[in-house]
Amino acid sequence: MVRIGYFLSCECFGPRELLHQARAAEQAGFDRLWISDHFHPWTEEQGQSPFVWSVIGALSQVTSLPIMTAVTCPLIRMHPVVVAQAAATAGVQCGGGFTLGVGTGEALNEHVTGAPWPAADVRLDMLGEALEIIRELHGGREVTFRGEHYTVDHARIHTRPAAPVPIHVAGFGRRAARMAGSRGDGFCTVVPDAELVREYREAGGNGPAQAGMKVCWADSEDQAVKTAHRLWATDLLPGALPSTLSRPRDFARAAELVGEDAVRDTFACGPDPERHLDRLREYLDAGFDEVYVQQMGPDQDRFFEAWAEQVLPHVPG
């Protein structure tokens, strides 16, 4: 059965606004929550970047919906042992309803410690090592580890949920999808790519295949396109740019190359529920089990009202 969740954007909203959106999502009939994990927003226009683990603690007190980070990079800015402890605490706070989503990250968030930014294949190797450490710690054991990328010295997590926190692996390419299938409890991405789902399944993945999608509900399509272009033209940057640019102003300059027509063609914009359902069907037809929808812009309450009445009741089963 398809599940539709809501995607909380830490790049665009402060912690109190995110709590309001989580409550509204639950009341509107969304099944679960994603929340982004950023140190910087993509652009200054987006304007926020609250510490996700503090927000998750607060979310656990205002909603009963399952929560997942989409996604945390446990490589550079935060050592895997710190991510393991944070995720274990979130698992306790959420009563077992927390999932750790992990990925190889972006220089935008990870360069802040001054550490070098590795190549993509190196980061994927680092992620594999980080997964090994996190799973060992979530098993309750005292861990000493000497790897190619990380060292752990007699670490043990004492506050843990009754069962280890599930870990879902994010990816945009074949190797990451296969790692999710062989080493993760689920797979997540943001593109309606059936080939990625197939790679995940063929590598042994039997957990949920999840995807995020952005929409902009507004009074008119033109108004929605302008909002989406102003805030999220960065989503349309090609190739390695999203993972290698290091400052919000770099993303803002690069996004100047993205026209409004490209935004109009990519996102479901405006007040036509069929346009939103058509976009959603692309993900369902690609084989995704869960889709997490993010409303672009400040008009969150109108979005929740419209989707509760005009979209969610018509989602294919």
Side-chain angles (χ1 to χ4, degrees):
M1 181 177 178
V2 175
R3 296 186 178 275
I4 308 299
Y6 189 70
F7 192 171
L8 299 167
S9 172
C10 283
E11 302 95 320
C12 294
F13 300 99
R16 292 183 180 276
E17 295 166 300
L18 294 169
L19 299 188
H20 171 78
Q21 290 171 23
R23 289 190 292 260
E26 185 166 17
Q27 291 166 3
F30 288 87
D31 291 316
R32 50 202 58 230
L33 298 169
W34 269 9
I35 184 167
S36 55
D37 180 355
H38 270 244
F39 188 89
H40 288 135
W42 296 99
T43 65
E44 296 294 341
E45 186 70 34
Q46 292 178 344
Q48 294 287 341
S49 58
F51 188 55
V52 71
W53 301 104
S54 301
V55 179
I56 289 169
L59 287 170
S60 72
Q61 303 303 300
V62 301
T63 179
S64 62
L65 296 181
I67 301 167
M68 179 179 129
T69 55
V71 292
T72 293
C73 177
L75 305 187
I76 299 171
R77 174 171 50 107
M78 294 183 69
H79 191 282
V81 298
V82 179
V83 173
Q85 184 187 27
T89 298
V92 173
Q93 290 172 313
C94 297
F98 175 74
T99 297
L100 175 63
V102 298
T104 56
E106 302 91 17
L108 173 71
N109 301 304
E110 305 305 312
H111 82 279
V112 295
T113 66
W117 181 239
D121 59 339
V122 175
R123 299 201 311 274
L124 202 57
D125 289 338
M126 293 171 73
L127 182 60
E129 206 166 283
L131 284 171
E132 183 178 348
I133 292 167
I134 293 169
R135 289 201 186 277
E136 286 290 309
L137 287 167
H138 283 183
R141 292 171 287 278
E142 182 178 272
V143 176
T144 295
F145 181 90
R146 300 284 186 273
E148 181 180 354
H149 303 288
Y150 300 107
T151 298
V152 180
D153 184 26
H154 295 92
R156 183 181 174 212
I157 294 175
H158 289 77
T159 300
R160 307 184 315 277
V165 170
I167 302 175
H168 293 191
V169 178
F172 297 94
R174 180 175 176 229
R175 188 179 169 201
R178 296 190 70 82
M179 176 182 281
S182 62
R183 305 187 64 173
D185 301 305
F187 171 62
C188 50
T189 189
V190 293
V191 289
D193 191 329
E195 185 67 17
L196 291 179
V197 177
R198 185 185 67 79
E199 292 284 357
Y200 166 64
R201 297 297 182 201
E202 289 186 354
N206 56 14
Q210 306 170 309
M213 74 174 227
K214 293 182 176 68
V215 306
C216 189
W217 190 279
D219 289 336
S220 71
E221 181 181 348
D222 286 345
Q223 178 186 343
V225 167
K226 290 184 182 301
T227 297
H229 184 266
R230 175 173 61 85
L231 291 173
W232 285 103
T234 51
D235 257 25
L236 277 65
L237 295 177
L241 278 178
S243 65
T244 55
L245 297 179
S246 61
R247 300 173 299 179
R249 62 177 175 269
D250 297 330
F251 278 93
R253 291 294 301 274
E256 292 174 1
L257 302 175
V258 178
E260 287 190 2
D261 286 344
V263 169
R264 189 186 306 271
D265 292 341
T266 302
F267 302 124
C269 291
D272 181 359
E274 283 302 316
R275 177 83 186 273
H276 292 246
L277 282 165
D278 286 345
R279 182 62 173 159
L280 185 58
R281 289 188 191 103
E282 293 180 31
Y283 290 85
L284 304 185
D285 291 344
F288 287 95
D289 308 298
E290 300 176 5
V291 181
Y292 293 77
V293 183
Q294 178 183 328
Q295 161 72 354
M296 295 179 282
D299 202 354
Q300 297 289 316
D301 290 338
R302 286 278 304 284
F303 161 82
F304 285 119
E305 179 182 346
W307 264 65
E309 296 177 357
Q310 301 180 53
V311 180
L312 289 177
H314 304 287
V315 174

